Amino acid sequence: MRDNGEATLDGIDRKIVAELSRDGRLSVRAIAERVHVSRTAAHNRMQSLVARGVITGFGAHVDRAAIGLHVTALVVVRIADVSWERIAADLAKLPFVEKVQAVSGDIDIILTVSAPDHEQLSQAILRNIHDMPGVASTRSHLVLEEITGHAPAQTLDIWS
């Protein structure tokens, strides 16, 4: 571990993380071949990365529209006298809320909210989020188009 508590990754660990970030369904054998280590070494390193909290889970990237969520908004939230932990937990439980992020500056939270249509998005924002105790104000921004960049793990080879 480094002095700041950050997990230290060597070149092989970074390559394993990068490969899994590209395709979380890769077998241990495929990872071993791609990073040029034995299957046992790849398995042990993957287990270590999970145990150390570097890899926090495995999942699928889902197309929102394909599952019926056709409209997405970023909702900027200012909170009143309430703890971040409590309000964040309450917001994360709401229908259609995908992500809750604490941010710096003159706002407190940014939510990613996706719904089947504008009416349901409006209801989620006006009735569920805006009226929640502890929410002082909201401001919504519709996502018109989204282009995926590189996940942090996919650029590990350029990090110093």
Side-chain angles (χ1 to χ4, degrees), residues 53-74:
V54 175
I55 296 174
T56 59
F58 299 87
H61 298 280
V62 178
D63 182 312
R64 290 180 189 108
I67 61 171
L69 301 174
H70 299 285
V71 60
T72 298
L74 300 178

Side-chain angles (χ1 to χ4, degrees), residues 1-15:
M1 300 289 255
R2 292 184 185 162
D3 292 340
N4 64 3
E6 183 179 313
T8 302
L9 301 178
D10 66 12
I12 294 171
D13 287 339
R14 287 193 303 271
K15 287 178 184 177

Side-chain angles (χ1 to χ4, degrees), residues 76-96:
V76 175
V77 178
R78 295 190 73 199
I79 60 175
D81 294 328
V82 65
S83 75
W84 148 254
E85 291 84 8
R86 193 177 95 226
I87 194 89
D90 290 345
L91 288 166
K93 292 177 189 172
L94 293 175
F96 305 129

Side-chain angles (χ1 to χ4, degrees), residues 91 94-95 119-133 135 138:
L91 288 166
L94 293 175
E119 182 178 334
Q120 290 184 63
L121 178 66
S122 177
Q123 292 299 313
I125 294 168
L126 294 175
R127 304 283 185 266
N128 297 340
I129 298 167
H130 188 75
D131 288 348
M132 178 178 283
V135 171
T138 62

